[in-house]
Amino acid sequence: MPLKLFELVGRDAARPFSPYCWRTRMALAHKGLSADTIPWRFTEKSVLVPYGSERVPVMLDGDRAVVDSWAIANHLEDAYPDRQSLFGGAGGRAMARFINSWGDIAILGGISPLVLADIPKLLDQVDADYFRTSREARFGKPLEEVMATRDQAVIGFRRSLEPLRQTLKAQPFIGGDAPDYADYIVFGGFQWARVVSPFRLLEETDSIYAWRERLLDAFDGLARKSPGFPV
């Protein structure tokens, strides 16, 4: 029975944009696995209730539903041990757990104020209204105000990436000579931004930009084939 993956999309079903779904997409490709994708939108929460979730990614493996990108990565590693490892052993899995938290807080938390106001343009009206209302409640102000200082805020975001930059000066990937799940965690945030916003997060001379380009070209262009802005 093929794997199935619920993915967040907007008006264009061919444009998946959840950073967490991108982590899962890359993990599947790393393992040499494929999944039938099921487009899912913000206001379709009831669709996921039978699987014990209100958000994506949700992956169905036979009669088992696996919820959350980190849980999915661990499931893929444990259920398909004959495929290329996502972690390279127990130590790598433990380190990836740290990167998972850092990616949520530092990467996604840093990117969100820079791109959020561009997202409603990609959504149907009912989803755009939901997105705007829920995110403006979270930030306590209109999305346009959240994003108003992004030309200055991005400078601080770039500075915050220095530990990653130093790592990538010494090796081509976070995982070393080849990418692993730690790379996909961080990449998910940058791919999310690339798909939803034309705003330039990275300068082309940045070693992080070069790393992102290497991952965009990986796996037969999986990520680059997805519609996105050339930033």
Side-chain angles (χ1 to χ4, degrees):
M1 184 178 296
L3 298 170
K4 296 181 180 180
L5 178 66
F6 287 90
E7 289 192 304
L8 176 64
V9 300
R11 191 180 304 113
D12 182 356
R15 196 183 190 98
F17 63 88
S18 162
Y20 302 103
C21 290
W22 272 105
R23 293 177 186 180
T24 297
R25 273 193 161 216
M26 300 297 277
L28 286 164
H30 182 101
K31 281 283 190 182
L33 297 167
S34 60
D36 293 338
T37 57
I38 304 171
W40 178 88
R41 295 169 176 83
F42 284 114
T43 54
E44 297 175 339
K45 294 184 183 297
S46 62
V47 173
L48 302 179
V49 170
Y51 308 113
S53 184
E54 290 188 344
R55 63 189 67 182
V56 291
V58 172
M59 191 184 74
L60 307 182
D61 189 353
D63 58 1
R64 178 175 179 179
V66 189
V67 176
D68 178 79
S69 58
W70 176 251
I72 292 172
N74 281 277
H75 172 78
L76 293 174
E77 185 77 346
D78 297 336
Y80 300 94
D82 56 321
R83 304 291 184 119
Q84 183 179 7
S85 175
L86 284 168
F87 304 114
R93 192 186 304 227
M95 184 62 68
R97 183 183 295 275
F98 164 76
I99 298 293
N100 200 66
S101 297
W102 181 74
D104 288 350
I105 296 167
I107 301 298
L108 298 184
I111 291 174
S112 290
L114 308 176
V115 304
L116 278 182
D118 291 323
I119 293 177
K121 304 169 190 174
L122 305 177
L123 308 177
D124 288 327
Q125 192 61 51
V126 63
D127 292 298
D129 291 344
Y130 165 81
F131 183 86
R132 179 174 291 277
T133 299
S134 60
R135 272 53 179 183
E136 289 182 350
R138 184 181 302 173
F139 282 91
K141 52 185 165 182
L143 294 183
E144 287 72 21
E145 289 186 22
V146 174
M147 204 171 71
T149 60
R150 69 179 178 179
D151 288 339
Q152 283 299 116
V154 73
I155 298 172
F157 172 69
R158 290 170 181 167
R159 288 198 193 106
S160 76
L161 301 175
E162 190 58 27
L164 175 59
R165 193 171 291 114
Q166 292 300 320
T167 299
L168 295 172
K169 286 180 180 178
Q171 59 200 48
F173 297 99
I174 301 172
D177 290 335
D180 63 14
Y181 192 66
D183 288 271
Y184 310 144
I185 292 168
V186 180
F187 173 81
F190 289 103
Q191 177 68 354
W192 166 52
R194 175 180 170 269
V195 172
V196 301
S197 174
F199 184 68
R200 183 175 291 278
L201 290 178
L202 301 169
E203 296 174 324
E204 292 186 18
T205 56
D206 196 329
S207 58
I208 301 173
Y209 182 96
W211 161 84
R212 191 198 68 170
E213 290 296 299
R214 287 194 291 274
L215 281 168
L216 282 169
D217 288 334
F219 309 113
D220 295 324
L222 167 70
R224 199 181 291 282
K225 288 176 184 174
S226 179
F229 297 95
V231 297

